[in-house]
C-alpha cells in the first residue's frame, strides 16, 4: 500500500514537472524570440541598403532563435542571466552582418561575446568565491602581487574577475605555481565546489580557454583594433562552435547554472 502511494506521488510529481517544463518551454521560446526581434530592429537599421532584405533578415532572426533555444535548453536558459542571452544574440546577428558586409565593425561581435563571458564568470564563479572568501576571513591584502591585488578588489570592492585573470589563476593551480593568500583561498574554493573545478580543469575546456587567452582577442588586440575576421571566427568556434558542440566554452559556463552552490 505504501509503495502504491509513493508511486502515485512520483507520477504526480512527474506530471507536474512535465507541465512546468512545457510552460517554461513556451515562455522561453517567446523570450528568446523577443530578444532577437529587439536586437534585430537595432542592427537592421544600421545595415547597408543592399542587405536590407526583410525576408532574409526575418529568417536569420528565426534561425538564431532556434539555435539559441535548442542548444541552451530551457533548464539552462532559466538559470542564465538574460544579459548573457542578449549578448549572444547580438553577437550572432553582428556575426552574420560581418560575413555579409566585410566593412562591418567586427568589434561589436567580440565585445558582445566578451560581455557574455564576463557576466557568466561573475554569475557562476566570482560571486560565490566572494562569499567563500569572506566566510574564511580572507579579506586582507598581504602580498604585493598583481593577481592578489585583483582578487582583493574582487572580494572587497565587487570588481569583476576578468577572463584573463581567471585563466591565470586556474593555470597556476593546475601547474602547481606559486599562490599567496587569495590564490590559496581560490584553490580551496574550487576544492569545495568540485563540479566547478571539473569544468575548469577539464582538458578540452582548459585547452580551449588557453587558446582563447593566447589569441589576445579579448585583450590587447581588442583594444588596438587588430582583430581579423578569421580571428573572430576562430574565437566564435571556441566559444559556441556554431551551437553544435557542448564542449564549447560558453555552453560549459552556462552548464554551471544547473549546479547547486
Amino acid at each position: 500500500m505504501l509503495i502504491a502511494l509513493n508511486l502515485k506521488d512520483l507520477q504526480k510529481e512527474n506530471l507536474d514537472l512535465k507541465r512546468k517544463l512545457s510552460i517554461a518551454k513556451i515562455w522561453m521560446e517567446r523570450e528568446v524570440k523577443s530578444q532577437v526581434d529587439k536586437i534585430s530592429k537595432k542592427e537592421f537599421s544600421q545595415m547597408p541598403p543592399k542587405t536590407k532584405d526583410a525576408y532574409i533578415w526575418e529568417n536569420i532572426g528565426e534561425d538564431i532563435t532556434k539555435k539559441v533555444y535548442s542548444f541552451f535548453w530551457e533548464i539552462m536558459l532559466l538559470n542564465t542571466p538574460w544579459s548573457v542571452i542578449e549578448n549572444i544574440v547580438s553577437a550572432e546577428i553582428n556575426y552574420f552582418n560581418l560575413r555579409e558586409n566585410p566593412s562591418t565593425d567586427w568589434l561589436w561581435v567580440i565585445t558582445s561575446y566578451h560581455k557574455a563571458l564576463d557576466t557568466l564568470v561573475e554569475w557562476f564563479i566570482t560571486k560565490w568565491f566572494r562569499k567563500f572568501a569572506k566566510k574564511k576571513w580572507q579579506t586582507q591584502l598581504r602580498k604585493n602581487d598583481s593577481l592578489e591585488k585583483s582578487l582583493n578588489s574582487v572580494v572587497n570592492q565587487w570588481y569583476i574577475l576578468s577572463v584573463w585573470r581567471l585563466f591565470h589563476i586556474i593555470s597556476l593551480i593546475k601547474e602547481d605555481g606559486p599562490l599567496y593568500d587569495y590564490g590559496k583561498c581560490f584553490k580551496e574554493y574550487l576544492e569545495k565546489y568540485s563540479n566547478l573545478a571539473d569544468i575548469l580543469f577539464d582538458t578540452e575546456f582548459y585547452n580551449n580557454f588557453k587558446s582563447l587567452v593566447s589569441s589576445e582577442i579579448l585583450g590587447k588586440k581588442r583594444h588596438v583594433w587588430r582583430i581579423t575576421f578569421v580571428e573572430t571566427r576562430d574565437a566564435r568556434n571556441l566559444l559556441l562552435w556554431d551551437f553544435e558542440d557542448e564542449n564549447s566554452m560558453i555552453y560549459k559556463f552556462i552548464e554551471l547554472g544547473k549546479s547547486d552552490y
Side-chain angles (χ1 to χ4, degrees):
M1 183 66 177
L2 182 59
I3 294 175
L5 285 174
N6 287 339
L7 182 58
K8 284 184 178 180
D9 288 341
L10 287 173
Q11 289 174 335
K12 185 177 182 301
E13 285 181 11
N14 285 336
L15 287 174
D16 286 343
L17 180 59
K18 286 181 181 179
R19 180 180 60 81
K20 289 176 181 178
L21 287 179
S22 177
I23 294 171
K25 182 176 185 292
I26 294 169
W27 178 80
M28 196 58 61
E29 286 177 334
R30 185 179 69 242
E31 287 298 306
V32 172
K33 188 175 188 306
S34 173
Q35 295 300 332
V36 171
D37 290 343
K38 182 173 72 175
I39 296 169
S40 294
K41 288 177 182 177
K42 178 182 175 183
E43 308 302 343
F44 182 76
S45 67
Q46 299 171 353
M47 293 175 69
K50 68 177 183 178
T51 63
K52 289 187 176 181
D53 186 318
Y55 176 74
I56 293 176
W57 194 247
E58 181 181 341
N59 284 351
I60 292 300
E62 188 67 27
D63 183 53
I64 291 173
T65 300
K66 289 178 180 177
K67 281 184 176 180
V68 170
Y69 180 75
S70 60
F71 191 53
F72 305 117
W73 41 277
E74 60 264 17
I75 296 297
M76 294 175 75
L77 287 174
L78 285 169
N79 289 291
T80 304
W82 267 109
S83 61
V84 172
I85 306 303
E86 288 175 344
N87 279 301
I88 289 173
V89 169
S90 180
E92 286 300 296
I93 290 172
N94 280 300
Y95 183 73
F96 168 76
N97 195 14
L98 172 63
R99 289 183 302 170
E100 297 297 313
N101 306 280
S103 62
T104 300
D105 188 356
W106 47 261
L107 192 61
W108 291 0
V109 180
I110 298 304
T111 297
S112 293
Y113 286 138
H114 199 171
K115 286 179 180 178
L117 277 178
D118 280 345
T119 301
L120 288 168
V121 170
E122 170 62 30
W123 197 261
F124 296 132
I125 300 175
T126 309
K127 74 175 184 179
W128 301 108
F129 169 66
R130 194 178 288 119
K131 291 180 180 180
F132 182 86
K134 290 181 178 180
K135 223 179 207 184
K136 294 288 183 177
W137 298 97
Q138 181 52 61
T139 56
Q140 297 295 318
L141 179 63
R142 298 186 178 89
K143 184 72 176 179
N144 185 19
D145 173 79
S146 60
L147 180 57
E148 287 289 288
K149 289 178 180 177
S150 293
L151 292 174
N152 178 65
S153 296
V154 164
V155 172
N156 295 311
Q157 300 177 44
W158 290 81
Y159 279 34
I160 68 167
L161 180 63
S162 70
V163 173
W164 187 88
R165 288 292 186 196
L166 175 61
F167 179 76
H168 184 197
I169 191 168
I170 64 173
S171 64
L172 285 175
I173 294 171
K174 183 178 176 66
E175 298 166 13
D176 293 321
L179 295 171
Y180 305 108
D181 292 346
Y182 278 104
K184 290 175 182 177
C185 185
F186 195 89
K187 181 180 180 181
E188 188 179 347
Y189 161 67
L190 293 184
E191 288 171 349
K192 179 176 181 180
Y193 298 111
S194 58
N195 53 335
L196 171 58
D198 287 345
I199 287 178
L200 294 179
F201 294 117
D202 173 76
T203 300
E204 186 167 358
F205 179 88
Y206 181 83
N207 288 339
N208 287 343
F209 204 167
K210 185 176 182 179
S211 296
L212 183 69
V213 170
S214 298
S215 73
E216 297 186 333
I217 199 168
L218 300 182
K220 182 179 178 181
K221 289 183 179 179
R222 177 170 171 254
H223 293 301
V224 297
W225 293 62
R226 290 181 183 171
I227 301 175
T228 65
F229 169 72
V230 171
E231 289 172 325
T232 303
R233 181 199 63 198
D234 290 347
R236 179 178 179 269
N237 285 344
L238 292 172
L239 294 170
L240 287 170
W241 203 263
D242 203 27
F243 300 92
E244 293 177 355
D245 188 351
E246 293 183 1
N247 287 312
S248 58
M249 289 185 65
I250 286 180
Y251 187 95
K252 284 295 186 182
F253 272 121
I254 289 180
E255 195 172 32
L256 288 170
K258 297 188 299 181
S259 305
D260 292 326
Y261 278 72

